[in-house]
Every structure is written in C-alpha cells, then in structure tokens.
Amino acid sequence: MQATLTSVAAQAVTLKVNRTEVVAQAALTDTLLSTLRSDLGLTAAKRGCNQGVCGGCTVMVDGKTARACLTLTQNCGSSEITTLEGLREDPVMNALQHAFAHEGGFQCGFCTPGMLISAYSLLRGTPDPTDQDVRANLSGNLCRCTGYASIISAIRAAAAALKSAGGSQ
Ligand code: FES
Ligand code: FES
C-alpha cells in the first residue's frame, strides 16, 4: 500500500510556460491540462472531453499544437509551453481575436481558446491559408454553437488583415 502511495506522489518538475520557468508538483499521471489549470492558474485551456477529442485543451508545446489533456506534465520538463495567456501581446493572436469578435466566431466561447491556438499555429506556418487549409486545421477542434462558418471567416479575415499589415511576423 505504501509503495502505491509513493508511486503516485507528486514530484517537482520545472516547466517553461509562456517564457517563464515555474516549478510545479505533478504525479506521474498528472496531465499538463490539470497542471496549467489547477496548479498554475492558467485557465484558458479548457477541459471538455478530457480524452483528446474536442480540442478545447489545445496549447503549444515546442511550437506545435498539443492536447494538454493527453500530455503528461512530467514529460514536459524540457519543453516550451505556450498557452493563450502567453500570447496577449502577439500580433497574430491579436488579429485572430479581433477577427473572431468581428465575424462572430464564438457564441458560448468554450471552444474558442483551443480554436484560437489552432488558428494561431496555422497562420504562423501558412500565412495565406485557403478555406481547405482552415477546415483541415480545425478538424480537431469541436464547436457545438457556431456551425464553423463564422470561425473559418474569422481566420481568413485575420490572415487578410495580417497580410495587408505587412505579414504575420
Ligand atoms: S479536453 Fe483535451 S481534447 Fe477535449
Ligand atoms: S462557441 Fe460554443 S462550443 Fe464553440
């Protein structure tokens, strides 16, 4: 019994989250989503399905989108983690947020942080995406409210705004 308790006990892990080093306590089975939300107070990533399906928990790990609910905190010790909170000053994210608001790209807003991170990843790599690019990129992000058309319009509008402003930087 004691061995079991010891094996799930939290251990310190140093994470780099939004360009800042933080020390979190995490058991081997703790997910990055629970660490971000419960331990670090970063609640933009949402717990929807908690099994890798809905995309509500999407964050960036080493520059790529990742499901925080499927990522173990103890495996992130050497990774750069970026959440929506870390992109407040980012011009690409700002353009996306403005376009989502302008185009009605959200209703309840639960899926929006994950959508924004996925869209951000798309525009960083593909500054001038086609409709098909946008649809493919959002295939792992579920929205129960909008029907997706306004989200796709918002991402295309953000891309156009960034292009006319001189690129996605
Ligand atoms: S909460 Fe992670 S994919 Fe749904
Ligand atoms: S805006 Fe409600 S789930 Fe997408």
Side-chain angles (χ1 to χ4, degrees), residues 118-165:
S118 291
Y120 175 81
S121 174
L122 172 69
L123 295 191
R124 296 294 294 180
T126 308
D128 194 11
T130 63
D131 256 13
Q132 201 170 3
D133 293 331
V134 174
R135 287 174 193 277
N137 180 259
L138 293 181
S139 63
N141 291 79
L142 304 184
C143 176
R144 288 174 173 267
C145 304
T146 64
Y148 299 97
S150 58
I151 294 173
I152 293 166
S153 298
I155 296 169
R156 298 293 307 276
L162 288 161
K163 191 174 176 184
S164 69

Coordinates of all heavy atoms in Angstrom, one line a residue, residues 118-165:
S118 N -5.2 26.8 -32.3 CA -5.0 26.0 -33.6 C -4.9 27.0 -34.7 O -4.1 26.8 -35.6 CB -6.2 25.1 -33.8 OG -6.2 24.1 -32.8
A119 N -5.7 28.0 -34.7 CA -5.6 29.0 -35.8 C -4.3 29.8 -35.8 O -3.7 30.0 -36.9 CB -6.8 30.0 -35.7
Y120 N -3.8 30.1 -34.6 CA -2.5 30.7 -34.5 C -1.4 29.9 -35.1 O -0.6 30.3 -35.8 CB -2.3 31.0 -33.0 CG -0.9 31.6 -32.7 CD1 -0.7 32.9 -32.8 CD2 0.1 30.7 -32.2 CE1 0.6 33.5 -32.5 CE2 1.3 31.3 -31.9 CZ 1.6 32.6 -32.1 OH 2.8 33.1 -31.8
S121 N -1.5 28.6 -34.8 CA -0.5 27.7 -35.3 C -0.5 27.6 -36.8 O 0.5 27.6 -37.5 CB -0.7 26.3 -34.7 OG 0.2 25.3 -35.3
L122 N -1.8 27.6 -37.4 CA -1.9 27.6 -38.8 C -1.3 28.8 -39.4 O -0.5 28.8 -40.4 CB -3.4 27.5 -39.2 CG -3.8 27.7 -40.6 CD1 -3.3 26.5 -41.4 CD2 -5.2 27.9 -40.9
L123 N -1.7 30.0 -38.9 CA -1.2 31.3 -39.5 C 0.3 31.5 -39.4 O 0.9 32.2 -40.2 CB -2.0 32.5 -39.0 CG -3.5 32.5 -39.3 CD1 -4.1 33.9 -38.9 CD2 -3.8 32.2 -40.8
R124 N 0.9 30.9 -38.4 CA 2.3 31.0 -38.2 C 3.0 30.3 -39.3 O 4.0 30.7 -39.9 CB 2.8 30.5 -36.9 CG 2.3 31.2 -35.7 CD 2.8 32.6 -35.6 NE 4.3 32.7 -35.3 CZ 5.0 33.8 -35.2 NH1 4.4 35.0 -35.2 NH2 6.3 33.8 -34.9
G125 N 2.4 29.1 -39.7 CA 3.1 28.3 -40.8 C 2.5 28.6 -42.2 O 3.2 28.4 -43.1
T126 N 1.3 29.0 -42.2 CA 0.6 29.2 -43.5 C -0.1 30.6 -43.5 O -1.3 30.7 -43.2 CB -0.4 28.1 -43.8 OG1 0.3 26.8 -43.6 CG2 -1.0 28.2 -45.2
P127 N 0.6 31.6 -43.8 CA 0.0 33.0 -43.6 C -1.1 33.3 -44.5 O -1.9 34.2 -44.2 CB 1.2 33.9 -43.9 CG 2.4 33.1 -43.8 CD 2.0 31.7 -44.1
D128 N -1.2 32.6 -45.6 CA -2.3 32.9 -46.6 C -3.1 31.6 -46.8 O -3.1 31.0 -47.9 CB -1.7 33.4 -47.9 CG -2.8 34.0 -48.8 OD1 -3.9 34.2 -48.3 OD2 -2.5 34.3 -49.9
P129 N -3.8 31.1 -45.8 CA -4.5 29.7 -46.0 C -5.7 29.8 -46.9 O -6.4 30.8 -46.9 CB -4.8 29.4 -44.5 CG -5.1 30.7 -43.9 CD -4.1 31.7 -44.5
T130 N -5.9 28.7 -47.5 CA -7.2 28.5 -48.3 C -8.3 28.1 -47.3 O -8.0 27.7 -46.1 CB -7.1 27.4 -49.4 OG1 -6.8 26.2 -48.7 CG2 -5.9 27.8 -50.3
D131 N -9.5 28.1 -47.8 CA -10.6 27.6 -46.9 C -10.3 26.1 -46.5 O -10.6 25.7 -45.4 CB -11.9 27.6 -47.8 CG -12.8 28.7 -47.3 OD1 -12.4 29.6 -46.6 OD2 -14.0 28.7 -47.8
Q132 N -9.8 25.4 -47.5 CA -9.5 24.0 -47.2 C -8.4 23.8 -46.1 O -8.5 23.0 -45.2 CB -9.0 23.3 -48.5 CG -9.2 21.8 -48.4 CD -9.0 21.2 -49.8 OE1 -8.6 21.8 -50.8 NE2 -9.1 19.9 -49.9
D133 N -7.4 24.7 -46.2 CA -6.4 24.7 -45.2 C -7.0 24.9 -43.8 O -6.7 24.3 -42.8 CB -5.3 25.8 -45.4 CG -4.5 25.6 -46.6 OD1 -4.3 24.4 -47.0 OD2 -4.0 26.6 -47.2
V134 N -7.9 25.9 -43.7 CA -8.5 26.3 -42.5 C -9.4 25.2 -41.9 O -9.3 24.8 -40.8 CB -9.3 27.6 -42.6 CG1 -10.1 27.9 -41.3 CG2 -8.4 28.8 -43.0
R135 N -10.2 24.6 -42.8 CA -11.0 23.5 -42.4 C -10.2 22.3 -41.9 O -10.5 21.7 -40.9 CB -11.9 23.0 -43.6 CG -13.0 24.0 -43.9 CD -13.8 23.6 -45.1 NE -14.6 24.6 -45.6 CZ -15.9 24.9 -45.1 NH1 -16.4 24.1 -44.2 NH2 -16.6 25.9 -45.6
A136 N -9.1 22.0 -42.6 CA -8.3 20.9 -42.2 C -7.6 21.2 -40.9 O -7.6 20.3 -40.0 CB -7.2 20.6 -43.3
N137 N -7.2 22.4 -40.7 CA -6.6 22.8 -39.4 C -7.5 22.7 -38.2 O -7.1 22.3 -37.1 CB -6.0 24.2 -39.5 CG -5.3 24.7 -38.3 OD1 -5.9 25.4 -37.5 ND2 -4.1 24.2 -38.1
L138 N -8.8 23.0 -38.5 CA -9.7 23.0 -37.4 C -10.4 21.6 -37.2 O -11.3 21.5 -36.3 CB -10.8 24.0 -37.6 CG -10.3 25.5 -37.5 CD1 -11.5 26.5 -37.7 CD2 -9.6 25.8 -36.2
S139 N -10.0 20.6 -37.9 CA -10.7 19.3 -37.9 C -10.6 18.7 -36.5 O -11.5 17.9 -36.2 CB -10.2 18.4 -38.9 OG -8.8 18.1 -38.7
G140 N -9.7 19.1 -35.7 CA -9.6 18.5 -34.3 C -10.2 19.4 -33.3 O -9.9 19.2 -32.1
N141 N -10.9 20.5 -33.7 CA -11.5 21.4 -32.7 C -13.0 21.4 -32.9 O -13.5 21.8 -33.9 CB -10.9 22.8 -32.8 CG -9.5 22.9 -32.4 OD1 -8.6 22.6 -33.2 ND2 -9.2 23.4 -31.2
L142 N -13.7 21.0 -31.9 CA -15.1 20.9 -32.0 C -15.8 22.1 -31.4 O -15.4 22.6 -30.4 CB -15.6 19.6 -31.2 CG -15.0 18.3 -31.7 CD1 -15.7 17.1 -30.9 CD2 -15.1 18.1 -33.2
C143 N -16.9 22.5 -32.1 CA -17.7 23.7 -31.7 C -19.1 23.2 -31.7 O -19.6 22.8 -32.8 CB -17.5 24.9 -32.5 SG -18.5 26.3 -32.0
R144 N -19.9 23.4 -30.6 CA -21.3 23.0 -30.6 C -22.2 24.1 -31.0 O -23.4 23.9 -31.1 CB -21.7 22.5 -29.2 CG -21.1 21.2 -28.8 CD -21.4 20.8 -27.4 NE -20.9 19.5 -27.1 CZ -21.7 18.4 -27.2 NH1 -23.0 18.5 -27.5 NH2 -21.2 17.2 -26.9
C145 N -21.6 25.3 -31.1 CA -22.5 26.5 -31.3 C -22.6 27.1 -32.7 O -23.6 27.5 -33.1 CB -22.1 27.6 -30.3 SG -22.0 27.1 -28.6
T146 N -21.4 27.3 -33.3 CA -21.4 28.3 -34.4 C -21.7 27.6 -35.8 O -21.9 28.4 -36.7 CB -20.0 28.9 -34.5 OG1 -19.0 27.8 -34.8 CG2 -19.6 29.6 -33.2
G147 N -21.5 26.3 -35.9 CA -21.6 25.8 -37.3 C -20.3 26.0 -38.1 O -20.3 25.6 -39.2
Y148 N -19.3 26.6 -37.5 CA -17.9 26.7 -38.0 C -17.8 27.8 -39.1 O -16.7 28.3 -39.3 CB -17.4 25.4 -38.6 CG -17.3 24.3 -37.5 CD1 -18.3 23.3 -37.4 CD2 -16.2 24.2 -36.7 CE1 -18.3 22.3 -36.5 CE2 -16.2 23.2 -35.7 CZ -17.2 22.3 -35.6 OH -17.1 21.3 -34.7
A149 N -18.8 28.2 -39.8 CA -18.6 29.1 -40.9 C -18.0 30.4 -40.4 O -17.1 31.0 -41.0 CB -20.0 29.3 -41.6
S150 N -18.5 30.9 -39.3 CA -18.0 32.2 -38.8 C -16.6 32.1 -38.3 O -15.8 33.0 -38.3 CB -18.9 32.8 -37.7 OG -19.1 31.8 -36.7
I151 N -16.2 30.9 -37.8 CA -14.9 30.7 -37.3 C -13.9 30.7 -38.5 O -12.8 31.3 -38.5 CB -14.7 29.3 -36.6 CG1 -15.5 29.4 -35.3 CG2 -13.3 29.0 -36.3 CD1 -15.6 28.1 -34.5
I152 N -14.3 30.0 -39.6 CA -13.5 30.0 -40.8 C -13.4 31.4 -41.4 O -12.3 31.8 -41.8 CB -14.1 29.0 -41.8 CG1 -14.0 27.6 -41.3 CG2 -13.4 29.1 -43.2 CD1 -14.8 26.5 -42.0
S153 N -14.5 32.1 -41.4 CA -14.4 33.5 -41.9 C -13.5 34.3 -41.1 O -12.7 35.2 -41.6 CB -15.8 34.2 -41.9 OG -16.7 33.5 -42.7
A154 N -13.5 34.1 -39.8 CA -12.7 34.9 -38.9 C -11.2 34.6 -39.1 O -10.4 35.6 -39.2 CB -13.0 34.6 -37.4
I155 N -10.9 33.4 -39.3 CA -9.4 33.0 -39.6 C -9.0 33.6 -40.9 O -7.9 34.2 -41.0 CB -9.3 31.5 -39.5 CG1 -9.6 31.1 -38.1 CG2 -7.8 31.1 -39.9 CD1 -9.7 29.6 -37.9
R156 N -9.8 33.5 -41.9 CA -9.5 34.1 -43.2 C -9.3 35.6 -43.1 O -8.4 36.2 -43.7 CB -10.5 33.7 -44.3 CG -10.7 32.3 -44.6 CD -9.5 31.6 -45.2 NE -9.0 32.3 -46.4 CZ -9.5 32.1 -47.6 NH1 -10.5 31.2 -47.8 NH2 -9.0 32.7 -48.7
A157 N -10.2 36.2 -42.3 CA -10.2 37.7 -42.1 C -8.9 38.1 -41.4 O -8.2 39.1 -41.7 CB -11.4 38.2 -41.4
A158 N -8.5 37.3 -40.4 CA -7.3 37.6 -39.7 C -6.1 37.5 -40.6 O -5.2 38.3 -40.6 CB -7.1 36.7 -38.5
A159 N -6.1 36.5 -41.4 CA -5.0 36.3 -42.4 C -4.9 37.5 -43.3 O -3.8 38.0 -43.6 CB -5.1 35.0 -43.1
A160 N -6.0 37.9 -43.8 CA -6.0 39.0 -44.7 C -5.6 40.3 -44.0 O -4.8 41.1 -44.6 CB -7.5 39.2 -45.3
A161 N -6.0 40.5 -42.8 CA -5.6 41.7 -42.1 C -4.1 41.7 -41.8 O -3.4 42.7 -42.0 CB -6.3 41.8 -40.7
L162 N -3.5 40.6 -41.5 CA -2.1 40.5 -41.3 C -1.3 40.7 -42.5 O -0.3 41.3 -42.6 CB -1.8 39.1 -40.6 CG -2.2 38.9 -39.2 CD1 -2.2 37.4 -38.8 CD2 -1.3 39.7 -38.3
K163 N -1.9 40.2 -43.6 CA -1.2 40.3 -44.9 C -1.2 41.8 -45.3 O -0.1 42.3 -45.7 CB -1.9 39.5 -46.0 CG -1.2 39.4 -47.3 CD -2.0 38.4 -48.2 CE -1.4 38.3 -49.6 NZ -2.2 37.5 -50.5
S164 N -2.3 42.5 -45.1 CA -2.3 43.9 -45.5 C -1.5 44.8 -44.6 O -1.0 45.8 -44.9 CB -3.7 44.4 -45.6 OG -4.3 44.5 -44.4
A165 N -1.3 44.2 -43.4 CA -0.4 45.0 -42.4 C 1.0 44.7 -42.6 O 1.9 45.2 -41.9 CB -0.9 44.7 -41.0

